[in-house]
Amino acid sequence: SDGALCDEFITVTLAPNCPVCNPMPGAMTGSQTLCVGQSASVVSNGLEIHTEDGEVATYVLFNPANPNNILQSVNVTSAAQAAVFTFDDANMDYNTTYSVVAYVGPDENGDNLPDLDNAECTAASTPTQLTFLPPLVLASEAICNDIDQTYTVVLTVTGRDADETYEVMGTNTNASFTGPVSIWGPYQGGSTYQFMVTDENGCTSN
């Protein structure tokens, strides 16, 4: 009622219990190093999605140097569903370590994403790290020995550190070497020889 004795009424219905926020984003550990063409599959252990409370869950990938710039996001509808991330050459760099976290919280504006500004009801998991390696490139040069008419094959690897160790497999060849250059032979002329190198992370080039 106001001073002029005008009245206005409103009815308020209260739920039996106040909503309680208890986000459970789980935890992720470890890291993945990926070759060109590989995808990273991640799952947060202990993630719970309380859909009855309006919760949704999203995995986000970002550069720790700029955590507010989300580069990729993947929504999941169940705790066991994996989020898959791939390299995006338009927005990402090779040999950079990116972080992935799982967010769980209420979807307050209907965009199917947790409200990241709701510090009380939205929480993030511990992160996992992803590093995408550049292409492993293998080049070869055949050098002829004029005296005995055999060939030496020089293999040169680029795209990795200078002290990387490789496994090489090929025709009559199964060994390892360290550094970008290796020499193999002798080989007889008039034939075709195949070589494949594998780096320390299992990436291959032929």
Side-chain angles (χ1 to χ4, degrees), residues 89-155:
D89 57 5
N91 299 300
M92 299 169 64
D93 296 312
Y94 290 121
N95 286 328
T96 297
T97 298
Y98 296 91
S99 292
V100 174
V101 299
Y103 282 103
V104 63
D107 176 15
E108 296 181 347
N109 57 9
D111 61 358
N112 225 15
L113 297 172
D115 180 9
L116 301 185
D117 295 325
N118 189 334
E120 179 182 1
C121 294
T122 298
S125 69
T126 55
T128 187
Q129 281 74 43
L130 305 179
T131 303
F132 295 87
L133 297 176
L136 181 66
V137 179
L138 178 64
S140 65
E141 179 185 5
I143 300 175
C144 181
N145 184 331
D146 293 339
I147 297 176
D148 62 8
Q149 290 298 299
T150 61
Y151 286 85
T152 298
V153 175
V154 180
L155 300 179

Side-chain angles (χ1 to χ4, degrees), residues 35-36 94 132-138 157-160 199 203-205:
C35 308
V36 169
Y94 290 121
F132 295 87
L133 297 176
L136 181 66
V137 179
L138 178 64
V157 182
T158 56
R160 296 294 183 268
D199 70 5
C203 306
T204 61
S205 184

Side-chain angles (χ1 to χ4, degrees), residues 33-123:
T33 301
L34 299 123
C35 308
V36 169
Q38 291 183 332
S39 300
S41 179
V42 300
V43 173
S44 182
N45 296 318
L47 170 66
E48 297 181 12
I49 307 173
H50 304 133
T51 55
E52 68 277 8
D53 296 329
E55 284 186 350
V56 294
T58 299
Y59 290 83
V60 299
L61 179 146
F62 59 91
N63 187 332
N66 188 9
N68 293 323
N69 183 21
I70 296 176
L71 300 173
Q72 296 182 36
S73 63
V74 178
N75 295 346
V76 295
T77 56
S78 70
Q81 181 182 348
V84 178
F85 294 93
T86 58
F87 183 77
D88 177 9
D89 57 5
N91 299 300
M92 299 169 64
D93 296 312
Y94 290 121
N95 286 328
T96 297
T97 298
Y98 296 91
S99 292
V100 174
V101 299
Y103 282 103
V104 63
D107 176 15
E108 296 181 347
N109 57 9
D111 61 358
N112 225 15
L113 297 172
D115 180 9
L116 301 185
D117 295 325
N118 189 334
E120 179 182 1
C121 294
T122 298

